[in-house]
Each structure stands twice: as structure tokens, then as C-alpha cells.
Amino acid sequence: MGVEEKNENEVVNTTPNEVGGADSTASAQEDTQVGQETSAQEGVQAGPATSVQEETQPEPVFRVEPPLRNTEEKASESAQEQSAAEAVQAVAGELEHTTEQAVPVVKETAEKAEEAITQKVEQAVPVVKETAEKAEEAITQKVEQAVPIVKETAEKAEEAVSQKVEQAAPVVQQTATEVKQAVQQAAVQAEQKVETVVEKAEEKISAADRIKENVNKYKPAKKQKTAIENGGDGKKSHSAVIIVIVILFMLLVLGLGYAFFQRRVKVDLDKYVSVEFSGYEGYGEAEVKFDEEAFLKDYKKKIKIKKKKSGLTDEILDDYTAEEFLYDYYISGAWELDGENGKYKNDDKVHLTWNLDKDNIEELFKVKIQDSAKEFTVKDLEKVESFDAFENLKMEFTGTAPDGLAEWEASGIMDGSKGFYFSVEPQDGLSNGDKVTVKVEPEEYLDKIIQKTGKAPKETEKVYTVEGLLSYIQSGAQVDDTLLNSMKKEVEDLITSDIAREGETVELVSAEYQGYYFLTAKDSFTYKHNVFYPVYKVNIRINLPENNFVQDYSYYVTGGFENIMDEGNGKVSVDVNDMNTIYNSFVIDTGVGTWFTTKYYLDGFETLDSLRTAVVSKNLSNYKAEEKILSNESATETEAPTETSTAEESTEAETTTNS
């Protein structure tokens, strides 16, 4: 094999992997070096690696060689990608290292800058504060120094002007008088001169007219008339000029007098006053508003003190201007409105009048007060919501007449939470038929509560009639038959029991109902308000067979029923089992016997009069007595401790016979 052929075979047998691998390795190393240099100088740039790779490509000697196999090409591309990844990773590591070094430096620099700025500001604050305080103090001193000077200058100027005006007043007045006289004289003289001139002119005109009539007798008289008229106009013109001069001169004098003489300032108070209405229809309230700010502004330095008074006035004027003094001491609050405040309705006409001491004001101040009455119309009051205050009122009467009690319970708006509540009069000592007045309270502050809540009661007072109380009957006639029979039965049982205890020798013949005594307490503060006494006549027979003795006797018995109640609807009640027994005894002596006579001690009263004395007469100091005994034609009422005759037995008496 020749030398050329051998060299050619060596070139051909050189594997692409060897060539590509060598080139790739060289290229990767060169790219890494270039990337590191670029990162250090310009920052993160990956582009130069590709550029270097392109520049380090081998000479195109392989164009004549056969194409690489697929395996070799993939190996070449993989080597290139690995080299690029290593280059990027190296650059990223370098950047991370650089950033870690830079962060503390930047942070430290920022902290130092902040600390320096804070120190500068802290150093500057006291200086600025001190400078401001010095400036404020200097301005305050200047103002304080200037105030008295300005005030003194103003007072001196005011005094000087007043003196000049006072000095000039008589001079101006005298001058005005002299000018007026001079004007009058000049007017008279001017009028005389005008008359003289007019007369001469008329003479000349008359002569001229005669000549013209002779020369021009055919000419119309119109020109003559014109000449005469012209003469007349001249006279009028002179008079008018003089009059105008006089008027102008007088106006000048009046103007000077007006300028030099101090005049009264007209003060229209009605301009600054207004009335505001608020609240609800029928309960409206009025508030007078005076625009003090506008008043003081309009009359600032216009109102003057006519003459200063000594003492208090001088001290007041040290702190007040004239207009402030006038308002605070004479105007403020010096007004009144007609009608009742808190009772206004829409469309009401309300008049404001002033209560000013005008004479005193105009004596002290150089003012003229205008204070005509002013009328205002009530409007824009809200509609009040009315309610029935008594709708949810529960009224109850408890206890026993005449000591009944009124008890009530209110709910809703009248429970007191809104300010409304009830008062009841009287509350105790009540009897059926009494009148109790219930009022909505608080009466004196009712308008205020209505203003607050916007609600008003339709009516504020209502009268209730006491009923349903248990009451003590006031007359024996109120005892119905049922109750009377029950009480009578109790007395009859008492009589029967007493006679039975006397033994067989005493026989109850009959018990006759005679009527009743009824006592009513004069004072309600007692435990026994009334007492009903049914009265019985008891007829007995004493039989002593061994002595052949038979005799009939009569006596009187009663029992007391206390505190009889009227439960209403005609029902009367009492506890009949609680009858009060009247203890009294008398002796019946039969006269039968040798050594001792037979005697009987019975419970009761020997006569009706003795019974009445015990139950009626002894109690008349505390009770009124009603007596109804069947022997009497009618019941009688006894109030004095007087004795009445013993009632006779009635033929109409009811009889109870013991069988």
C-alpha cells in the first residue's frame, strides 16, 4: 500500500466520535471560560457561549467525508447539551454567590443612611421649635404693644372730632343764619333791580312799537307780540336764575350742617328678629331669635354714646363697644310673645312686642329706636298622635265600705316608661257610689312629655263611680226576709235552750217577735260598724203541782248580729252563727214556800224598756240607733241618749208556741 493511500485510509478511519468528542470538549471548556469572564464583567449573559462554540468549529475538512451515523450524531449532540448545562449552572452559582455578598452590604448602607437622617431630623426639631416660639413671642409682644396705642389713638381722635364738632356747631349755625339773611336781602335787591329793568324795557318796547306801527302799519302784530313775549321771558329767566341760586345755596348750608352736626342713628330692631316654631299641633313652642351677629356688624362704630355716665357705665364701656353695650343691656330679651307657649297651633297669629326703655336708651345713645310690633304665623308643626290613655287602665275597688280602696294598673304607654302615669283621688275611705277622679300625670310637665314623644292623650281626666265594694248596711230595712228569718231562728233557739234548762216546772208558751233595734257606728274606725238586735217577747208558764200553783210570766230577749254586709245586687249577709248574746238576768219569785219561796233566775230583760236601755241608750255616744218595734207605727231613729216609753204589747205580734 502506497504512502498516499495509507494516509487516506487513516483519514477515513478516523471516527467521528473522536473528532466530535475532541471538538466538543474543547468547545465546552472554551465556553465555560468565556461564560465566567462575561459573568464577572457584564452580569449574567449566556449568549457568548454559543458564539464561542461557533467560532471554535473545526475546518470544513469533513465535508468530503462520509456522513456520520445516527449513533454518532446523537452522541455529539448529547455532549454539546451537557456542556451548555454545565456552563449555565456555573453562571447561576456565580450569580447566587454575588447576590449573597451584595445583600448585607446594601442592607448595612440603608441602615446607616436611615440613622443619619434620623439624627439630622432630631437635631433640627428643637431648633425649629425654638425659632417658632421666639417668633410667636415677638409677634405677641408687638401686638400687645400696639393695642393700647391704637386704642389711645382712636380715643384721642374721637375726642378731637367731638370737640371740633362742638366748636363748629355754633359757628355753622350763626353762619347759616347770616347767609340766610344775606340771601334774603340779595333776593329783595335783585327783585327790585329786575323790576326796574323790566319797567325800562317795557317803556322802550312801547316807544318802538309806536314807531313800528306808524312805519309798518300793515305788518302783522305778531312781531310786536313776540317782542313783548321776549321781554316777558327775560324777566322770568332772571327770576328763575336767582331762585335756583338761592336754593342751591340753602342746600349747601343744610349739607354742611348735616355733615358737622352728629345725627341720631335709626335702629330698626324688627329687621333682626324672627320666631321659630317647633313641636306638635296644639302643643307648639315658640323661640325668639335675634340675629346678634348681623346687628353688631351693621351698627359697628355707628352707634355712639351721647354722654358718659360715671361709675358703672364707665367700667362697662371699658369692655364693651357702644353697640355691644346697647344690645346686651337694653335689647337682649326685651321682647314677649302673645299666646301661651306650648299651646300653639298651625295658622295661629303670634305678635311680638318690645319692652324697651326707649327714653333711657335715647338719652344715653345717639339712636332712634324703631320697634313696631311684628306678626308671625305659626306653621310647620307636626301632627300629634292622640291615644286613649284610659283604654288599658284596670280600675278595681277593694275592701269594705266605708274603708274601700282604689287600686289600678296601667299598661302600654301609660305604664310610666314614657313619662305618663295616673293619679287617683281619693284612694281610700271609699263607699259604693263615691266618685273617684283619675288624671293623666304629670300635669305640670305634660306638654314637655308630649313634645318628646309626639303623642297626646285624648282626655286627661276621667271620673269613676265606686261600686262592687262590700259595705256595711246603714239601715235595718236593708235586711231582707231571708236573712231576717235566719237571725230570728237563732234568737228563738236561744230562748228555747234557756227555758229547757229551767226544768219541767217552766213551760215556754210562746216567743213573739217584736221588731228590732239597729245601731250604726258614727266613726268608721271601729271594729263594730253595725249591730242588728231582733227583739222577742217570751211568754212562759210556771207550774208547781205540789203547791197547786200555775202562773204565766213574760219577759224580753234579744241577740246581736254585728257587721252585716251589703254584697251588692241587693244581697245582704252576716254570719248568723256568730250571734252576740246579751247577758242579763232577772228573778221571778213565785212566793210559794214556807221558809224559802220558789224563785227562777231567767236570762233576759224583765221589761222592754230595760232591754232598750242596755242595747240602745248605753251606746248612743258612738252609734246612731234605728228602732222599729211592732207596737210603733213606724221606725224611729234616735241619736241622743233619751229614754222612750216602754212599748206595749202588739196584737200583731208574731207568736211562737212551744208544743
Side-chain angles (χ1 to χ4, degrees):
M1 181 179 297
V3 176
E4 294 178 2
E5 189 177 357
K6 183 179 180 180
N7 291 334
E8 186 178 356
N9 288 334
E10 288 178 357
V11 172
V12 173
N13 292 328
T14 302
T15 61
N17 290 335
E18 292 176 355
V19 177
D23 292 341
S24 297
T25 303
S27 178
Q29 292 175 354
E30 188 175 357
D31 288 344
T32 302
Q33 183 178 2
V34 173
Q36 290 176 352
E37 292 176 356
T38 305
S39 174
Q41 294 176 1
E42 300 177 356
V44 180
Q45 292 291 337
T50 306
S51 177
V52 172
Q53 185 180 3
E54 291 177 355
E55 291 177 359
T56 56
Q57 290 290 331
E59 294 297 329
V61 67
F62 296 104
R63 294 178 182 174
V64 294
E65 294 177 358
L68 297 174
R69 293 188 302 271
N70 291 335
T71 304
E72 293 176 351
E73 290 177 355
K74 289 180 180 180
S76 176
E77 290 175 359
S78 176
Q80 292 178 0
E81 290 176 358
Q82 183 176 1
S83 298
E86 291 176 354
V88 171
Q89 185 175 2
V91 171
E94 185 68 22
L95 283 175
E96 183 178 358
H97 178 70
T98 304
T99 303
E100 290 177 354
Q101 292 178 349
V103 167
V105 177
V106 173
K107 185 175 181 180
E108 182 179 1
T109 304
E111 290 177 353
K112 290 181 179 180
E114 181 180 1
E115 183 178 359
I117 293 171
T118 303
Q119 291 177 354
K120 294 293 183 182
V121 171
E122 291 177 352
Q123 293 173 0
V125 167
V127 177
V128 173
K129 185 176 181 180
E130 182 179 1
T131 304
E133 291 177 352
K134 289 181 179 180
E136 182 180 1
E137 183 177 358
I139 293 170
T140 304
Q141 292 177 353
K142 294 294 184 182
V143 171
E144 292 177 352
Q145 294 173 0
V147 168
I149 297 173
V150 173
K151 186 175 181 180
E152 182 179 0
T153 304
E155 292 178 352
K156 290 181 178 179
E158 183 178 1
E159 292 178 358
V161 171
S162 300
Q163 292 176 358
K164 293 294 184 182
V165 170
E166 292 176 356
Q167 294 173 1
V171 177
V172 172
Q173 186 175 4
Q174 183 179 359
T175 303
T177 304
E178 293 175 355
V179 169
K180 183 177 181 181
Q181 293 175 356
V183 170
Q184 291 176 351
Q185 292 176 1
V188 172
Q189 293 175 1
E191 187 175 359
Q192 292 175 354
K193 289 181 180 180
V194 169
E195 290 178 354
T196 302
V197 172
V198 169
E199 290 176 355
K200 291 180 179 180
E202 287 178 349
E203 291 176 357
K204 291 180 180 180
I205 291 170
S206 299
D209 288 341
R210 286 195 297 273
I211 294 170
K212 289 180 180 179
E213 286 178 357
N214 293 329
V215 177
N216 302 313
K217 61 181 178 181
Y218 295 106
K219 289 184 179 180
K222 185 175 181 181
K223 290 185 178 181
Q224 296 176 1
K225 184 177 180 181
T226 303
I228 293 172
E229 289 176 354
N230 290 335
D233 289 343
K235 180 178 179 180
K236 292 180 180 179
S237 177
H238 285 294
S239 300
V241 171
I242 293 171
I243 292 171
V244 170
I245 292 172
V246 171
I247 293 173
L248 290 175
F249 189 79
M250 293 183 71
L251 290 175
L252 178 62
V253 172
L254 292 174
L256 290 173
Y258 184 79
F260 281 98
F261 285 101
Q262 293 235 0
R263 60 192 183 279
R264 292 181 180 272
V265 177
K266 292 183 179 180
V267 178
D268 184 5
L269 297 180
D270 293 336
K271 175 182 177 183
Y272 303 96
V273 71
S274 62
V275 178
E276 293 182 359
F277 297 96
S278 61
Y280 296 88
E281 174 75 12
Y283 299 91
E285 292 184 340
E287 182 180 4
V288 178
K289 298 283 189 178
F290 190 91
D291 194 345
E292 178 185 357
E293 183 178 354
F295 173 81
L296 296 178
K297 181 179 179 181
D298 291 347
Y299 292 101
K300 185 177 182 181
K301 297 183 179 180
K302 294 181 180 179
I303 296 176
K304 303 296 181 183
I305 301 292
K306 185 183 293 186
K307 59 178 180 179
K308 291 187 177 181
K309 296 183 178 180
S310 60
L312 181 61
T313 304
D314 292 337
E315 295 179 2
I316 293 174
L317 291 176
D318 290 340
D319 300 323
Y320 278 91
T321 62
E323 61 273 12
E324 291 173 345
F325 181 35
L326 173 61
Y327 173 76
D328 281 353
Y329 281 81
Y330 294 94
I331 297 176
S332 179
W335 53 71
E336 64 179 11
L337 297 175
D338 58 0
E340 184 179 355
N341 197 24
K343 297 292 185 180
Y344 292 119
K345 303 186 296 295
N346 285 325
D347 299 327
D348 281 351
K349 303 298 181 182
V350 180
H351 299 87
L352 182 144
T353 54
W354 295 91
N355 297 324
L356 298 172
D357 188 356
K358 295 175 63 175
D359 294 337
N360 190 20
I361 293 175
E362 294 178 359
E363 180 183 354
L364 180 61
F365 300 91
K366 296 177 181 179
V367 296
K368 184 68 176 177
I369 299 294
Q370 295 179 348
D371 60 342
S372 58
K374 196 171 182 181
E375 183 181 82
F376 299 89
T377 301
V378 181
K379 59 182 179 179
D380 298 332
L381 295 180
E382 299 181 30
K383 294 293 183 181
V384 68
E385 180 183 344
S386 60
F387 66 94
D388 184 359
F390 301 90
E391 180 180 6
N392 297 319
L393 174 63
K394 294 181 180 179
M395 198 73 189
E396 185 178 2
F397 300 102
T398 61
T400 303
D403 299 318
L405 299 175
E407 297 181 355
W408 66 95
E409 181 181 357
S411 59
I413 194 173
M414 293 302 301
D415 63 359
S417 61
K418 303 296 183 182
F420 295 108
Y421 60 91
F422 288 112
S423 67
V424 178
E425 186 65 30
Q427 300 182 17
D428 52 20
L430 302 177
S431 298
N432 289 325
D434 288 349
K435 303 296 181 181
V436 172
T437 301
V438 182
K439 292 183 179 180
V440 177
E441 298 288 355
E443 186 175 2
E444 63 273 21
Y445 300 112
L446 195 58
D447 294 345
K448 298 294 184 183
I449 298 177
I450 294 173
Q451 290 286 358
K452 180 180 179 181
T453 61
K455 298 180 179 181
K458 295 178 181 178
E459 54 183 343
T460 59
E461 183 176 315
K462 193 171 183 179
V463 177
Y464 290 81
T465 301
V466 179
E467 59 184 5
L469 288 179
L470 294 175
S471 60
Y472 300 103
I473 64 172
Q474 301 298 310
S475 171
Q478 292 180 256
V479 177
D480 56 30
D481 292 339
T482 301
L483 180 60
L484 178 59
N485 291 331
S486 297
M487 291 189 290
K488 289 164 61 177
K489 179 67 167 55
E490 290 297 320
V491 177
E492 292 170 0
D493 290 345
L494 174 64
I495 295 171
T496 302
S497 176
D498 288 343
I499 297 300
R501 285 196 297 269
E502 297 300 326
E504 296 179 354
T505 58
V506 179
E507 176 186 358
L508 176 62
V509 177
S510 65
E512 301 172 358
Y513 176 66
Q514 302 296 300
Y516 64 84
Y517 295 115
F518 181 76
L519 303 183
T520 305
K522 295 178 179 180
D523 187 358
S524 61
F525 298 100
T526 180
Y527 71 95
K528 190 162 57 176
H529 295 276
N530 59 43
V531 186
F532 189 90
Y533 294 103
V535 178
Y536 273 84
K537 180 181 180 182
V538 180
N539 299 309
I540 62 173
R541 179 174 295 148
I542 298 177
N543 185 8
L544 299 174
E546 65 276 9
N547 295 320
N548 196 23
F549 178 86
V550 177
Q551 182 68 42
D552 291 341
Y553 297 90
S554 298
Y555 65 97
Y556 296 87
V557 176
T558 188
F561 297 89
E562 301 173 357
N563 296 328
I564 303 175
M565 306 295 300
D566 181 1
E567 297 181 359
N569 299 322
K571 185 178 180 180
V572 179
S573 64
V574 71
D575 185 1
V576 294
N577 295 321
D578 191 21
M579 182 183 69
N580 183 23
T581 302
I582 308 301
Y583 293 102
N584 186 72
S585 62
F586 69 97
V587 179
I588 296 178
D589 188 354
T590 62
V592 176
T594 304
W595 296 98
F596 299 100
T597 58
T598 303
K599 299 178 181 179
Y600 292 90
Y601 296 87
L602 300 176
D603 293 328
F605 296 88
E606 193 172 1
T607 63
L608 182 61
D609 186 60
S610 61
L611 185 148
R612 181 186 181 279
T613 300
V615 300
V616 176
S617 300
K618 290 182 179 180
N619 295 307
L620 287 179
S621 60
N622 297 319
Y623 291 86
K624 295 184 297 183
E626 177 186 340
E627 305 178 28
K628 188 174 182 181
I629 302 301
L630 295 179
S631 59
N632 299 333
E633 293 182 357
S634 60
T636 60
E637 185 174 296
T638 305
E639 297 186 4
T642 58
E643 298 290 338
T644 59
S645 59
T646 303
E648 298 179 354
E649 295 182 5
S650 173
T651 56
E652 299 177 357
E654 300 179 17
T655 303
T656 301
T657 304
N658 187 19
S659 56

